[in-house]
Amino acid sequence: NAGVTQTPKFQVLKTGQSMTLQCAQDMNHEYMSWYRQDPGMGLRLIHYSVGAGITDQGEVPNGYNVSRSTTEDFPLRLLSAAPSQTSVYFCATNLLIGGAGEQYFGPGTRLTVT
Amino acid sequence: AQSVAQPEDQVNVAEGNPLTVKCTYSVSGNPYLFWYVQYPNRGLQFLLKYITGDNLVKGSYGFEAEFNKSQTSFHLKKPSALVSDSALYFCAVRDNAGNMLTFGGGTRLMVKP
C-alpha cells in the first residue's frame, strides 16, 4: 500500500515550457486535490476532483489544468510555466467528499521555473 | 469565504514545557477543523480534528486541541513539549457543506533542549 505518490520529486523548467505533475493513489479515495505551498501562505487549493470525470477549480487555478480519467490518477498540467509558479506542489486525497475525513498528502514536487 | 489565521509565525518553547499554537477561523455554517504537521521535506501529516461533540479533542503524539465556538478558535496544545515536536504546524477549516479545505499560513514550532 503506497498511499499517495507524486512524481517527479524535483523539476526545473524554463519560462514557457509545459509539464505534467503526476499523482497516484491506491486507497480508492474519491476526492483528490492539488495544493501549492509558498512560504508564509500555507497551502492553497489549485484544483480538486470528487470522482472520475469530475473536476473543479480551487482558490488559485489560473495557469493549471487537471483531468480525472480514473479514480487512481489526478495529473496537474502547467501549460506555459511562469516564475510565479515556482513552488512546492502537494497532491492530497480524502475518503469522504465534503465531509469530516482527514486528507492524506503525497511527499510533494518541488518546482523551479527560471 | 472561509479563512484561517495563525497569528504566530514561530513559537519557541523549552523541552518539557507546555506548548500552545494558536488558530482562529471564519466559516459559514458549522466548521470541521483540522491540525496537520509538516516535517522538513515531507508532506503534511494529520494530527487531529474537530467535527462535533466534546470541545477537547485528542490526537497523535500527545497533542490535543480545544474548540471554542464563541471565540472561533481551535488552539493546538501539548502538556510537555519534545525536541522532536519541532516542525511546521498548519490549522485548516472546511465548512460542513463544502469540498474546499482552507489552510492557515503555518506556525513553526521550535522546541529547545
Side-chain angles (χ1 to χ4, degrees):
Chain A
N1 192 336
V4 182
T5 58
Q6 291 183 238
T7 56
K9 285 187 167 51
F10 303 94
Q11 183 71 49
V12 179
L13 290 178
K14 295 187 187 307
T15 297
Q17 288 184 317
S18 62
M19 80 159 294
T20 299
L21 279 63
Q22 301 291 346
C23 174
Q25 54 108 353
D26 61 0
M27 296 179 288
N28 203 31
H29 287 176
E30 290 296 329
Y31 183 96
M32 296 185 74
S33 54
W34 276 102
Y35 294 87
R36 58 177 289 172
Q37 182 180 19
D38 302 293
M41 302 188 73
L43 277 76
R44 292 181 291 169
L45 183 65
I46 305 172
H47 285 284
Y48 66 95
S49 168
V50 298
I54 306 170
T55 64
D56 207 346
Q57 295 182 349
E59 182 184 356
V60 288
N62 292 341
Y64 307 95
N65 274 358
V66 292
S67 60
R68 184 96 179 269
S69 56
T70 67
T71 298
E72 294 76 20
D73 299 296
F74 190 44
L76 177 73
R77 280 182 284 276
L78 280 71
L79 304 174
S80 178
S84 61
Q85 294 178 305
T86 293
S87 188
V88 182
Y89 291 84
F90 289 100
C91 178
T93 73
N94 190 336
L95 177 60
L96 300 175
I97 296 172
E102 60 270 23
Q103 295 208 333
Y104 296 81
F105 285 83
T109 294
R110 186 174 294 274
L111 176 67
T112 301
V113 183
T114 62
Chain B
Q2 57 197 43
S3 64
V4 177
Q6 293 181 243
E8 302 152 317
D9 290 336
Q10 183 162 315
V11 169
N12 298 309
V13 64
E15 188 174 33
N17 283 0
L19 69 88
T20 298
V21 182
K22 295 179 181 177
C23 170
T24 58
Y25 67 91
S26 174
V27 70
S28 58
N30 292 322
Y32 293 147
L33 293 157
F34 303 82
W35 276 102
Y36 290 85
V37 60
Q38 185 181 33
Y39 298 101
N41 301 314
R42 303 286 295 275
L44 278 69
Q45 297 176 32
F46 169 74
L47 270 182
L48 51 79
K49 65 183 177 183
Y50 172 82
I51 305 304
T52 187
D54 193 348
N55 289 344
L56 184 66
V57 293
K58 295 187 184 297
S60 306
Y61 312 120
F63 284 92
E64 57 190 28
E66 186 166 13
F67 171 64
N68 187 318
K69 188 172 183 178
S70 63
Q71 297 186 2
T72 62
S73 67
F74 190 55
H75 301 330
L76 181 70
K77 300 181 180 184
K78 187 173 183 182
S80 179
L82 299 172
V83 172
S84 58
D85 292 331
S86 299
L88 191 55
Y89 290 81
F90 290 96
C91 181
V93 67
R94 178 191 290 129
D95 74 72
N96 62 3
N99 286 314
M100 292 179 60
L101 187 65
T102 300
F103 285 84
T107 298
R108 187 166 300 282
L109 174 66
M110 299 289 289
V111 182
K112 298 187 177 179

